[in-house]
Amino acid sequence: CKTPYPAYINLTDCRVPLVQVPNTEPPFIVLENSVRESQSAHRGLHVISLAENKQLRLGRGHESDVRIADVSISRCHAIVRFQRGAFVLEDNNSKFGTLVAMRKTRPIDSKTTLAVQCGRTVLKLIQQSTEGATETQAAS
């Protein structure tokens, strides 16, 4: 069955969400898997807090926070962190680099979309401001 589940269900007198979503401490990053349906049946949305100076590790290794199943990506390919009020993307000395052999830290600003290629995987980073909090979306 390919019918999507409803976001809310009706109980006696009230409407409640089907799944409770916890509040995420800002700053946070939203990652959406947007692999073509012909390549994968798995779609997902991940919300990850970068509070308390946490770093988000992207790669194919088990130690990565976000695992990308791509043999051309290093085990820990790149790092996203929140530094001085901005999201920053940094290559982690990967074999083939990130975003055309990117070797320097790259800030992610709110004015542009940043397309990042890690191996054969393309990540699209968009910073959005929502009710005073800042979030970044990434799609692979």
Side-chain angles (χ1 to χ4, degrees), residues 64-123:
S64 295
D65 298 308
V66 176
R67 292 187 60 200
I68 302 170
D70 182 342
V71 295
S72 62
I73 291 181
S74 298
R75 286 183 186 95
C76 185
H77 196 96
I79 295 171
V80 177
R81 57 187 149 79
F82 192 74
Q83 177 180 325
R84 291 184 229 131
F87 289 95
V88 177
L89 171 69
E90 182 176 3
D91 184 79
N92 194 36
N93 297 319
S94 62
K95 185 174 181 179
F96 298 111
T98 304
L99 186 63
V100 191
M102 182 183 93
R103 296 290 180 201
K104 293 184 180 178
T105 300
R106 171 78 190 251
I108 302 168
D109 63 29
S110 60
K111 296 173 185 65
T112 59
T113 298
L114 178 63
V116 179
Q117 183 167 352
C118 300
R120 292 180 291 200
T121 301
V122 176
L123 305 170

